[in-house]
């Protein structure tokens, strides 16, 4: 689709899935089924529907099972970023895969489930993306659109969409959905070693280059086994 800023997404699928135990004792979290479909297929199907034709997927925990599953998918075309030797977390994972990714690229978690609003999530982000002023553009959702979420929120936004973090003992109005647009500028000077994207976000925020766009659909937190049944029930009516 011509209205998207990129035809490629990085899908984060290398984590240990500890919060999803015991379901992840013998399978990686991206293969846990929700509404009859592995979590990562929810993500990849939405990418394909939106017109994102290529996906770079990082693997670590029970990587062989995940890689075998992905090999059966025709769309999007999947390239593996192999982290079998060392789990690099979100920041290091992006840096390791950087040469496989255009500038900019979408990045999202492999356990995302959402129902789109008037536009799909990737069109929403693309419409707001400005490479001159942004290093990353996060898709965020207000508490009212975040099903199964019980936390205090992540971010505040100013009138231009610039991001500041929630402070201690406060509630922030927006929750990060796990979906973003990333510029290679965000990854500059970073090494393919274990570190969180939060380090890069903090630098971008300090430079006034971390932005967020509110999501117009509904997003589901699916981090634990207990979240699966209510998510399935909501999807039936979605």
């Amino acid at each position: 689709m011509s209205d998207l800023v990129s035809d490629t997404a990085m899908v984060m699928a290398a984590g240990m899935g500890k919060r999803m135990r015991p379901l992840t004792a013998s399978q990686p979290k991206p293969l846990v089924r929700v509404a009859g479909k592995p979590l990562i297929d929810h993500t990849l199907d939405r990418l394909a529907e939106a017109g994102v034709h290529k996906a770079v997927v990082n693997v670590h925990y029970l990587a062989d099972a995940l890689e075998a599953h992905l090999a059966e998918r025709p769309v999007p075309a999947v390239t593996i970023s192999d982290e079998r030797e060392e789990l690099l977390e979100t920041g290091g994972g992006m840096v390791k895969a950087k040469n496989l990714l255009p500038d900019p690229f979408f990045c999202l978690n492999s356990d995302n489930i959402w129902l789109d609003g008037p536009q799909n999530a990737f069109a929403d982000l693309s419409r707001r993306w400005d490479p001159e002023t942004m290093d990353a553009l996060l898709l965020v959702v207000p508490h009212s659109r975040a099903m199964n979420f019980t936390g205090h929120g992540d971010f505040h936004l100013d009138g231009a969409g610039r991001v500041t973090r929630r402070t201690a003992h406060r509630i922030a109005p927006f929750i990060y959905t796990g979906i973003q647009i990333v510029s290679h500028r965000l990854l500059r000077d970073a090494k393919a070693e274990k570190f969180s994207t939060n380090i890069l976000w903090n630098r971008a925020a300090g430079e006034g280059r971390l932005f967020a766009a509110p999501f117009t659909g509904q997003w589901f937190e699916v981090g634990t086994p207990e979240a699966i049944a209510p998510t399935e029930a909501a999807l039936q009516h979605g």
Side-chain angles (χ1 to χ4, degrees):
M1 291 175 64
S2 60
D3 58 345
L4 300 184
V5 300
S6 182
D7 68 350
T8 304
M10 179 160 191
V11 179
M12 296 292 185
M16 302 294 290
K18 293 179 180 179
R19 292 176 59 222
M20 192 60 89
R21 289 177 179 168
L23 299 180
T24 51
S26 59
Q27 63 182 335
K29 183 181 178 184
L31 295 186
V32 171
R33 288 181 174 269
V34 175
K37 184 190 298 188
L39 280 166
I40 196 166
D41 284 351
H42 285 276
T43 296
L44 293 172
D45 286 350
R46 304 312 291 277
L47 286 169
E49 289 166 10
V52 180
H53 302 301
K54 303 172 189 174
V56 176
V57 181
N58 65 343
V59 298
H60 172 77
Y61 177 61
L62 300 177
D64 290 352
L66 184 54
E67 199 165 353
H69 176 78
L70 294 171
E72 298 177 1
R73 285 194 60 102
V75 181
V78 172
T79 301
I80 298 296
S81 181
D82 195 330
E83 296 181 24
R84 281 176 172 85
E85 290 187 6
E86 182 184 16
L87 180 60
L88 297 175
E89 297 187 21
T90 53
M94 280 196 290
V95 174
K96 179 179 174 65
K98 182 179 177 182
N99 291 338
L100 302 172
L101 297 163
D103 185 12
F105 60 94
F106 295 106
C107 184
L108 64 163
N109 297 334
S110 59
D111 58 354
N112 275 342
I113 294 181
W114 69 91
L115 296 172
D116 281 318
Q119 288 197 93
N120 74 67
F122 306 101
D124 265 349
L125 282 174
S126 295
R127 185 164 49 85
R128 292 174 171 83
W129 175 250
D130 179 3
E132 299 301 318
T133 61
M134 300 175 181
D135 285 354
L137 177 63
L138 318 183
L139 190 68
V140 295
V141 62
H143 289 260
S144 61
R145 296 180 184 270
M147 186 169 176
N148 306 326
F149 184 80
T150 58
H152 298 301
D154 301 309
F155 299 117
H156 300 268
L157 308 184
D158 70 10
R162 287 188 185 85
V163 168
T164 54
R165 288 190 179 275
R166 180 181 68 84
T167 54
H169 312 299
R170 297 287 183 91
I171 291 175
F174 292 103
I175 300 142
Y176 176 51
T177 63
I179 305 171
Q180 60 180 321
I181 296 176
V182 177
S183 164
H184 281 208
R185 188 179 189 277
L186 183 78
L187 308 180
R188 71 189 189 279
D189 306 324
K191 297 179 180 179
E193 57 192 21
K194 186 179 293 187
F195 75 95
S196 169
T197 308
N198 281 306
I199 293 172
L200 304 178
W201 283 350
N202 289 343
R203 178 177 67 181
E207 297 170 346
R209 295 183 61 87
L210 182 66
F211 286 76
F215 184 40
T216 55
Q218 186 173 25
W219 173 79
F220 300 86
E221 166 77 22
V222 194
T224 64
E226 294 74 26
I228 293 175
T231 300
E232 290 176 332
L235 290 174
Q236 280 187 333
H237 298 97

